[in-house]
Amino acid sequence: IGMLNAQGELHFEAIDRRKDGTTLSVEASARVIEVQGVRYLQAIIRDITARKHAADALRKSEALLNSSQQMAHIGSWEMDLTSNVLSWSGENYRIFEIEPARFGASYEAFLSMVHPDDRAAVDKAYTEAVENKSPYAIEHRLLLPDQRVKYVREWCETYYDQDGRPIRSIGTTQDITEQHIAKRKNYRLNQFYAAISKANEAIVRIKDWDMLLDEICRIAVEYGQFNLVWIGLADEVTRKLKIVAASGAAKGYLDNIHVALDADKSEGRGTASVAFRENRKIICNDFFDSPHIFPWQENAKKYGLHASASCPIELEGRVIGALTLYAGEANYFDQELSHLLCDLSNDI
Protein backbone atom coordinates (compact mmCIF):
# COMPACT_ATOMS: atom_id res chain seq x y z
CA ILE A 1 0.00 0.00 0.00
CA GLY A 2 2.88 2.35 0.80
CA MET A 3 4.04 2.10 -2.82
CA LEU A 4 0.84 3.65 -4.23
CA ASN A 5 1.21 7.05 -5.89
CA ALA A 6 -0.68 10.22 -5.00
CA GLN A 7 -3.67 9.04 -7.03
CA GLY A 8 -3.78 5.79 -5.06
CA GLU A 9 -2.50 3.73 -8.02
CA LEU A 10 0.48 1.49 -8.70
CA HIS A 11 2.02 0.42 -12.01
CA PHE A 12 5.11 -1.76 -12.32
CA GLU A 13 6.85 -4.66 -14.07
CA ALA A 14 8.43 -7.59 -12.25
CA ILE A 15 9.80 -11.11 -12.54
CA ASP A 16 7.56 -13.70 -10.83
CA ARG A 17 8.15 -17.38 -10.13
CA ARG A 18 5.60 -20.09 -10.89
CA LYS A 19 4.99 -23.05 -8.59
CA ASP A 20 7.08 -25.27 -10.85
CA GLY A 21 10.08 -22.96 -10.43
CA THR A 22 9.96 -21.32 -13.86
CA THR A 23 9.88 -17.54 -14.09
CA LEU A 24 7.68 -15.13 -16.02
CA SER A 25 7.66 -11.39 -16.64
CA VAL A 26 4.54 -9.55 -15.51
CA GLU A 27 3.10 -6.05 -15.78
CA ALA A 28 0.73 -4.93 -13.02
CA SER A 29 -1.69 -2.05 -12.50
CA ALA A 30 -3.40 -1.74 -9.09
CA ARG A 31 -5.49 0.57 -6.93
CA VAL A 32 -7.23 0.51 -3.55
CA ILE A 33 -11.02 0.30 -3.59
CA GLU A 34 -13.53 0.34 -0.78
CA VAL A 35 -16.58 -1.91 -0.69
CA GLN A 36 -19.04 -1.60 2.19
CA GLY A 37 -16.36 -0.11 4.40
CA VAL A 38 -13.76 -2.75 3.62
CA ARG A 39 -10.60 -1.77 1.71
CA TYR A 40 -9.34 -4.08 -1.04
CA LEU A 41 -6.40 -3.98 -3.42
CA GLN A 42 -7.71 -4.45 -6.98
CA ALA A 43 -5.11 -5.35 -9.59
CA ILE A 44 -4.68 -6.40 -13.21
CA ILE A 45 -1.62 -8.58 -13.77
CA ARG A 46 -0.56 -9.40 -17.33
CA ASP A 47 1.95 -12.02 -18.41
CA ILE A 48 4.36 -10.10 -20.69
CA THR A 49 6.91 -12.91 -21.05
CA ALA A 50 6.15 -13.26 -24.76
CA ARG A 51 6.63 -9.52 -25.22
CA LYS A 52 10.03 -9.66 -23.52
CA HIS A 53 11.08 -12.65 -25.61
CA ALA A 54 9.88 -10.87 -28.75
CA ALA A 55 11.93 -7.80 -27.85
CA ASP A 56 15.04 -9.98 -27.37
CA ALA A 57 14.40 -11.75 -30.66
CA LEU A 58 13.92 -8.40 -32.36
CA ARG A 59 17.27 -7.11 -31.10
CA LYS A 60 18.97 -10.24 -32.43
CA SER A 61 17.07 -9.89 -35.71
CA GLU A 62 18.17 -6.27 -36.09
CA ALA A 63 21.81 -7.28 -35.48
CA LEU A 64 21.48 -9.98 -38.13
CA LEU A 65 19.81 -7.53 -40.49
CA ASN A 66 22.72 -5.09 -40.12
CA SER A 67 25.17 -7.86 -41.02
CA SER A 68 23.04 -8.97 -43.94
CA GLN A 69 22.92 -5.45 -45.37
CA GLN A 70 26.66 -5.65 -46.00
CA MET A 71 26.02 -8.56 -48.32
CA ALA A 72 22.90 -7.06 -49.92
CA HIS A 73 22.60 -6.99 -53.70
CA ILE A 74 22.74 -3.40 -54.93
CA GLY A 75 21.91 -2.37 -58.47
CA SER A 76 23.95 0.23 -60.34
CA TRP A 77 23.02 2.73 -63.01
CA GLU A 78 24.53 5.45 -65.17
CA MET A 79 22.76 8.45 -66.66
CA ASP A 80 24.29 10.12 -69.74
CA LEU A 81 23.07 13.70 -69.33
CA THR A 82 24.09 14.73 -72.84
CA SER A 83 21.93 12.08 -74.54
CA ASN A 84 19.38 11.38 -71.75
CA VAL A 85 20.19 7.66 -71.97
CA LEU A 86 19.93 5.67 -68.76
CA SER A 87 21.86 2.40 -68.37
CA TRP A 88 20.95 -0.16 -65.69
CA SER A 89 22.70 -3.22 -64.33
CA GLY A 90 20.86 -6.53 -64.22
CA GLU A 91 20.34 -6.18 -60.48
CA ASN A 92 18.63 -2.84 -60.99
CA TYR A 93 16.15 -4.46 -63.38
CA ARG A 94 15.52 -7.15 -60.76
CA ILE A 95 14.82 -4.53 -58.07
CA PHE A 96 12.38 -2.67 -60.32
CA GLU A 97 10.96 -6.01 -61.56
CA ILE A 98 10.97 -5.02 -65.21
CA GLU A 99 12.39 -6.62 -68.33
CA PRO A 100 15.10 -4.61 -70.15
CA ALA A 101 13.09 -4.71 -73.37
CA ARG A 102 10.13 -3.01 -71.65
CA PHE A 103 12.19 -0.21 -70.13
CA GLY A 104 12.43 3.11 -71.95
CA ALA A 105 16.03 3.66 -70.76
CA SER A 106 15.47 7.32 -69.92
CA TYR A 107 15.14 9.49 -66.84
CA GLU A 108 11.43 9.95 -67.60
CA ALA A 109 10.95 6.18 -67.75
CA PHE A 110 12.57 5.85 -64.33
CA LEU A 111 10.36 8.59 -62.84
CA SER A 112 7.25 6.85 -64.18
CA MET A 113 8.02 3.89 -61.91
CA VAL A 114 8.44 6.02 -58.80
CA HIS A 115 5.36 6.12 -56.57
CA PRO A 116 3.19 9.09 -57.66
CA ASP A 117 3.28 10.56 -54.15
CA ASP A 118 7.10 10.52 -54.15
CA ARG A 119 7.75 11.51 -57.76
CA ALA A 120 8.05 15.29 -57.25
CA ALA A 121 10.40 14.86 -54.26
CA VAL A 122 12.67 12.45 -56.16
CA ASP A 123 12.83 14.73 -59.21
CA LYS A 124 13.57 17.77 -57.04
CA ALA A 125 16.29 15.97 -55.06
CA TYR A 126 18.10 14.78 -58.18
CA THR A 127 17.74 18.09 -60.05
CA GLU A 128 19.05 20.12 -57.10
CA ALA A 129 21.93 17.67 -56.55
CA VAL A 130 23.04 18.15 -60.17
CA GLU A 131 22.67 21.93 -60.01
CA ASN A 132 24.44 22.24 -56.66
CA LYS A 133 27.15 19.69 -57.53
CA SER A 134 26.29 17.75 -54.39
CA PRO A 135 25.74 14.01 -53.81
CA TYR A 136 22.23 12.66 -54.39
CA ALA A 137 20.78 10.41 -51.66
CA ILE A 138 17.13 9.62 -51.10
CA GLU A 139 14.73 6.91 -49.93
CA HIS A 140 11.47 6.55 -51.81
CA ARG A 141 8.80 4.14 -52.96
CA LEU A 142 8.29 2.32 -56.24
CA LEU A 143 4.81 1.50 -57.50
CA LEU A 144 4.90 -1.76 -59.46
CA PRO A 145 2.38 -2.63 -62.23
CA ASP A 146 0.48 -4.99 -59.89
CA GLN A 147 0.13 -2.08 -57.39
CA ARG A 148 2.67 -3.53 -54.95
CA VAL A 149 4.90 -0.97 -53.25
CA LYS A 150 8.64 -1.32 -52.81
CA TYR A 151 11.04 0.88 -50.85
CA VAL A 152 14.47 1.75 -52.23
CA ARG A 153 17.48 3.78 -51.16
CA GLU A 154 19.41 5.57 -53.91
CA TRP A 155 22.77 7.30 -54.05
CA CYS A 156 24.51 9.00 -56.95
CA GLU A 157 27.33 11.36 -57.88
CA THR A 158 27.40 13.58 -60.93
CA TYR A 159 30.47 14.37 -63.03
CA TYR A 160 31.07 17.62 -64.92
CA ASP A 161 33.18 18.78 -67.85
CA GLN A 162 35.85 21.48 -67.70
CA ASP A 163 33.21 24.18 -68.12
CA GLY A 164 31.16 22.88 -65.19
CA ARG A 165 28.43 21.33 -67.33
CA PRO A 166 27.00 18.02 -65.98
CA ILE A 167 27.80 15.12 -68.30
CA ARG A 168 26.88 11.95 -66.41
CA SER A 169 25.54 10.64 -63.12
CA ILE A 170 26.57 7.31 -61.65
CA GLY A 171 24.54 5.77 -58.84
CA THR A 172 23.24 2.75 -56.98
CA THR A 173 19.83 1.45 -55.92
CA GLN A 174 19.25 -0.77 -52.90
CA ASP A 175 15.99 -2.57 -52.19
CA ILE A 176 15.17 -1.83 -48.52
CA THR A 177 11.56 -3.10 -48.57
CA GLU A 178 12.10 -5.88 -46.01
CA GLN A 179 14.05 -3.56 -43.74
CA HIS A 180 11.33 -0.92 -44.00
CA ILE A 181 8.55 -3.43 -43.31
CA ALA A 182 10.43 -4.87 -40.31
CA LYS A 183 10.90 -1.39 -38.83
CA ARG A 184 7.27 -0.49 -39.36
CA LYS A 185 6.09 -3.78 -37.88
CA ASN A 186 8.31 -3.30 -34.85
CA TYR A 187 7.03 0.24 -34.43
CA ARG A 188 3.38 -0.85 -34.71
CA LEU A 189 3.80 -3.63 -32.15
CA ASN A 190 5.63 -1.39 -29.68
CA GLN A 191 2.95 1.26 -30.05
CA PHE A 192 0.17 -1.22 -29.43
CA TYR A 193 1.94 -2.72 -26.44
CA ALA A 194 1.95 0.83 -25.08
CA ALA A 195 -1.76 1.15 -25.92
CA ILE A 196 -2.60 -1.99 -23.94
CA SER A 197 -0.61 -0.77 -20.94
CA LYS A 198 -2.38 2.61 -21.05
CA ALA A 199 -5.76 0.88 -21.45
CA ASN A 200 -5.08 -1.27 -18.40
CA GLU A 201 -4.22 1.83 -16.41
CA ALA A 202 -7.52 3.35 -17.57
CA ILE A 203 -9.43 0.22 -16.53
CA VAL A 204 -8.00 0.53 -13.02
CA ARG A 205 -8.45 4.31 -12.86
CA ILE A 206 -11.82 5.05 -14.49
CA LYS A 207 -14.96 3.93 -12.68
CA ASP A 208 -17.54 5.20 -15.22
CA TRP A 209 -18.24 2.60 -17.94
CA ASP A 210 -19.01 5.07 -20.77
CA MET A 211 -15.96 7.19 -19.97
CA LEU A 212 -13.80 4.07 -19.86
CA LEU A 213 -14.88 2.90 -23.33
CA ASP A 214 -14.31 6.37 -24.79
CA GLU A 215 -10.84 6.48 -23.24
CA ILE A 216 -9.92 3.02 -24.55
CA CYS A 217 -10.90 4.05 -28.10
CA ARG A 218 -8.89 7.26 -27.78
CA ILE A 219 -5.83 5.41 -26.46
CA ALA A 220 -6.00 2.83 -29.26
CA VAL A 221 -6.13 5.57 -31.90
CA GLU A 222 -3.37 7.65 -30.33
CA TYR A 223 -0.90 4.86 -29.62
CA GLY A 224 -1.90 2.34 -32.28
CA GLN A 225 -2.24 5.10 -34.88
CA PHE A 226 -5.45 3.68 -36.30
CA ASN A 227 -7.76 5.76 -38.47
CA LEU A 228 -10.80 4.72 -36.47
CA VAL A 229 -11.62 2.62 -33.40
CA TRP A 230 -15.12 1.93 -32.12
CA ILE A 231 -16.88 -0.29 -29.60
CA GLY A 232 -20.36 -1.64 -30.22
CA LEU A 233 -22.69 -3.35 -27.76
CA ALA A 234 -25.51 -5.66 -28.83
CA ASP A 235 -29.06 -4.31 -28.77
CA GLU A 236 -31.34 -7.33 -28.86
CA VAL A 237 -34.42 -5.18 -29.53
CA THR A 238 -33.12 -3.61 -32.75
CA ARG A 239 -30.82 -6.58 -33.55
CA LYS A 240 -27.94 -4.18 -34.13
CA LEU A 241 -24.56 -3.37 -32.62
CA LYS A 242 -25.05 0.00 -30.97
CA ILE A 243 -21.94 2.17 -31.26
CA VAL A 244 -21.25 3.34 -27.70
CA ALA A 245 -17.72 4.73 -28.10
CA ALA A 246 -15.56 5.81 -31.05
CA SER A 247 -12.43 7.80 -31.83
CA GLY A 248 -10.26 8.65 -34.83
CA ALA A 249 -9.90 10.94 -37.83
CA ALA A 250 -12.32 8.76 -39.83
CA LYS A 251 -15.06 8.91 -37.18
CA GLY A 252 -17.44 10.34 -39.79
CA TYR A 253 -17.43 6.91 -41.44
CA LEU A 254 -19.83 5.76 -38.72
CA ASP A 255 -22.46 8.46 -39.30
CA ASN A 256 -24.61 6.37 -41.64
CA ILE A 257 -23.43 2.90 -40.63
CA HIS A 258 -25.89 0.30 -39.34
CA VAL A 259 -24.30 -2.90 -38.07
CA ALA A 260 -26.79 -5.76 -38.01
CA LEU A 261 -26.38 -8.79 -35.77
CA ASP A 262 -28.02 -11.22 -38.18
CA ALA A 263 -26.13 -12.88 -41.02
CA ASP A 264 -29.08 -12.76 -43.45
CA LYS A 265 -28.75 -8.97 -43.78
CA SER A 266 -26.08 -7.23 -45.88
CA GLU A 267 -25.26 -5.00 -42.87
CA GLY A 268 -24.48 -8.16 -40.93
CA ARG A 269 -21.48 -9.16 -43.07
CA GLY A 270 -18.96 -6.76 -41.57
CA THR A 271 -16.12 -7.88 -39.35
CA ALA A 272 -17.83 -6.62 -36.18
CA SER A 273 -21.04 -8.56 -36.86
CA VAL A 274 -19.20 -11.78 -37.71
CA ALA A 275 -16.90 -11.44 -34.68
CA PHE A 276 -19.97 -11.01 -32.46
CA ARG A 277 -21.87 -13.99 -33.92
CA GLU A 278 -18.92 -16.38 -34.08
CA ASN A 279 -17.12 -15.20 -30.93
CA ARG A 280 -13.71 -14.95 -32.59
CA LYS A 281 -11.48 -12.32 -34.13
CA ILE A 282 -12.30 -11.44 -37.74
CA ILE A 283 -9.87 -9.62 -40.03
CA CYS A 284 -10.53 -7.98 -43.38
CA ASN A 285 -7.14 -6.91 -44.76
CA ASP A 286 -8.49 -5.48 -48.02
CA PHE A 287 -11.90 -3.80 -48.11
CA PHE A 288 -11.96 -3.78 -51.88
CA ASP A 289 -11.34 -7.49 -52.32
CA SER A 290 -13.56 -9.00 -49.65
CA PRO A 291 -17.25 -9.83 -49.10
CA HIS A 292 -17.13 -8.55 -45.49
CA ILE A 293 -17.28 -4.88 -46.45
CA PHE A 294 -19.79 -5.11 -49.30
CA PRO A 295 -22.34 -2.47 -48.14
CA TRP A 296 -19.72 0.10 -47.13
CA GLN A 297 -17.02 0.10 -49.82
CA GLU A 298 -17.74 3.58 -51.14
CA ASN A 299 -17.89 5.04 -47.65
CA ALA A 300 -14.60 3.32 -46.76
CA LYS A 301 -12.95 4.76 -49.86
CA LYS A 302 -14.20 8.25 -48.91
CA TYR A 303 -12.47 8.05 -45.53
CA GLY A 304 -9.32 6.28 -46.74
CA LEU A 305 -10.02 3.02 -44.89
CA HIS A 306 -8.52 -0.17 -46.31
CA ALA A 307 -8.50 -2.82 -43.56
CA SER A 308 -10.20 -3.65 -40.28
CA ALA A 309 -10.08 -6.16 -37.43
CA SER A 310 -12.80 -6.97 -34.92
CA CYS A 311 -12.65 -8.92 -31.65
CA PRO A 312 -15.65 -9.92 -29.52
CA ILE A 313 -16.17 -8.44 -26.07
CA GLU A 314 -17.39 -10.95 -23.47
CA LEU A 315 -18.99 -10.58 -20.07
CA GLU A 316 -19.23 -13.63 -17.81
CA GLY A 317 -18.93 -16.00 -20.74
CA ARG A 318 -21.48 -14.19 -22.94
CA VAL A 319 -20.60 -12.07 -25.99
CA ILE A 320 -22.02 -8.58 -25.47
CA GLY A 321 -20.31 -6.59 -28.22
CA ALA A 322 -17.23 -6.06 -30.37
CA LEU A 323 -14.12 -3.89 -30.62
CA THR A 324 -13.27 -2.80 -34.18
CA LEU A 325 -10.15 -1.03 -35.47
CA TYR A 326 -9.47 0.39 -38.94
CA ALA A 327 -6.20 1.02 -40.79
CA GLY A 328 -5.48 3.23 -43.77
CA GLU A 329 -3.58 0.55 -45.71
CA ALA A 330 -4.25 -2.99 -46.86
CA ASN A 331 -2.68 -6.03 -45.14
CA TYR A 332 -2.12 -4.03 -41.96
CA PHE A 333 -3.25 -6.64 -39.45
CA ASP A 334 -0.68 -9.42 -39.17
CA GLN A 335 -0.91 -12.35 -36.75
CA GLU A 336 1.01 -10.72 -33.90
CA LEU A 337 -0.98 -7.49 -34.01
CA SER A 338 -4.23 -9.47 -34.18
CA HIS A 339 -3.34 -11.36 -31.00
CA LEU A 340 -2.77 -8.04 -29.22
CA LEU A 341 -6.18 -6.78 -30.35
CA CYS A 342 -7.80 -9.79 -28.70
CA ASP A 343 -5.79 -9.09 -25.53
CA LEU A 344 -7.29 -5.59 -25.48
CA SER A 345 -10.85 -6.83 -26.01
CA ASN A 346 -10.36 -9.42 -23.24
CA ASP A 347 -9.20 -6.68 -20.87
CA ILE A 348 -12.30 -4.64 -21.70
Side-chain angles (χ1 to χ4, degrees):
I1 300 299
M3 295 173 63
L4 299 177
N5 61 22
Q7 289 74 39
E9 301 169 5
L10 177 65
H11 307 289
F12 65 91
E13 292 184 7
I15 303 295
D16 282 358
R17 188 178 301 278
R18 300 185 180 93
K19 288 184 177 181
D20 62 2
T22 60
T23 59
L24 72 159
S25 300
V26 299
E27 176 186 78
S29 298
R31 68 172 178 177
V32 174
I33 63 173
E34 187 170 322
V35 180
Q36 296 181 347
V38 180
R39 298 179 77 204
Y40 295 89
L41 184 66
Q42 178 193 54
I44 293 175
I45 301 177
R46 168 182 295 281
D47 182 351
I48 59 172
T49 307
R51 183 203 306 183
K52 295 294 187 180
H53 288 169
D56 290 340
L58 180 63
R59 282 192 288 270
K60 293 178 182 177
S61 177
E62 288 177 340
L64 179 61
L65 181 61
N66 290 332
S67 299
S68 299
Q69 287 177 359
Q70 297 176 10
M71 299 179 288
H73 295 293
I74 298 177
S76 61
W77 54 269
E78 180 174 346
M79 179 73 188
D80 187 330
L81 296 174
T82 60
S83 62
N84 194 33
V85 174
L86 181 60
S87 303
W88 277 4
S89 68
E91 189 67 17
N92 231 45
Y93 283 109
R94 184 197 65 79
I95 291 172
F96 281 75
E97 298 186 24
I98 189 171
E99 295 295 329
R102 292 175 48 212
F103 184 59
S106 67
Y107 179 67
E108 289 72 24
F110 155 73
L111 275 182
S112 70
M113 299 191 66
V114 174
H115 193 288
D117 294 342
D118 296 348
R119 204 167 288 161
V122 170
D123 185 39
K124 179 181 179 182
Y126 177 68
T127 302
E128 290 183 350
V130 173
E131 291 176 352
N132 298 332
K133 298 182 179 181
S134 59
Y136 163 77
I138 194 171
E139 292 183 8
H140 65 85
R141 293 170 291 177
L142 304 177
L143 183 61
L144 303 181
D146 61 3
Q147 300 305 298
R148 283 184 299 117
V149 173
K150 271 190 169 184
Y151 293 82
V152 296
R153 181 184 292 122
E154 293 189 338
W155 299 269
C156 98
E157 187 172 351
T158 300
Y159 296 86
Y160 304 81
D161 63 15
Q162 294 180 346
D163 296 323
R165 290 187 295 263
I167 53 176
R168 65 187 178 118
S169 296
I170 297 178
T172 59
T173 305
Q174 182 180 19
D175 185 350
I176 59 170
T177 304
E178 290 187 6
Q179 177 184 347
H180 183 84
I181 291 174
K183 285 183 177 179
R184 290 189 62 203
K185 178 180 179 180
N186 175 41
Y187 178 76
R188 285 202 300 261
L189 290 177
N190 282 336
Q191 287 294 101
F192 208 75
Y193 277 129
I196 290 179
S197 294
K198 290 293 182 181
N200 280 335
E201 291 179 16
I203 290 171
V204 170
R205 173 170 42 88
I206 300 176
K207 300 185 175 90
D208 181 85
W209 175 245
D210 293 330
M211 288 178 60
L212 173 62
L213 297 186
D214 282 334
E215 179 67 1
I216 287 174
C217 289
R218 186 197 66 78
I219 287 171
V221 167
E222 178 182 348
Y223 286 86
Q225 298 189 338
F226 295 103
N227 298 54
L228 171 64
V229 176
W230 63 274
I231 294 173
L233 299 180
D235 186 330
E236 294 297 340
V237 176
T238 62
R239 298 298 299 163
K240 293 179 181 178
L241 273 179
K242 180 182 178 182
I243 299 171
V244 296
S247 182
K251 193 174 177 180
Y253 170 79
L254 299 173
D255 289 346
N256 298 309
I257 291 294
H258 301 285
V259 184
L261 299 181
D262 302 316
D264 59 351
K265 297 181 179 180
S266 61
E267 292 87 357
R269 301 178 192 172
T271 57
S273 299
V274 180
F276 174 84
R277 286 196 303 271
E278 300 183 7
N279 191 18
R280 63 185 180 93
K281 70 182 176 202
I282 300 293
I283 297 171
C284 176
N285 258 326
D286 189 347
F287 281 176
F288 308 104
D289 186 28
S290 172
H292 288 301
I293 199 66
F294 171 73
W296 309 297
Q297 282 182 330
E298 289 305 314
N299 202 28
K301 186 181 296 184
K302 175 182 176 182
Y303 286 95
L305 304 177
H306 288 267
S308 72
S310 296
C311 292
I313 296 175
E314 293 185 68
L315 179 64
E316 298 176 348
R318 180 172 60 92
V319 180
I320 62 167
L323 166 71
T324 304
L325 306 94
Y326 295 78
E329 61 183 81
N331 302 312
Y332 190 87
F333 297 97
D334 58 24
Q335 186 175 11
E336 292 168 286
L337 183 58
S338 301
H339 285 323
L340 293 180
L341 301 183
C342 290
D343 283 349
L344 180 59
S345 68
N346 290 337
D347 290 344
I348 297 171

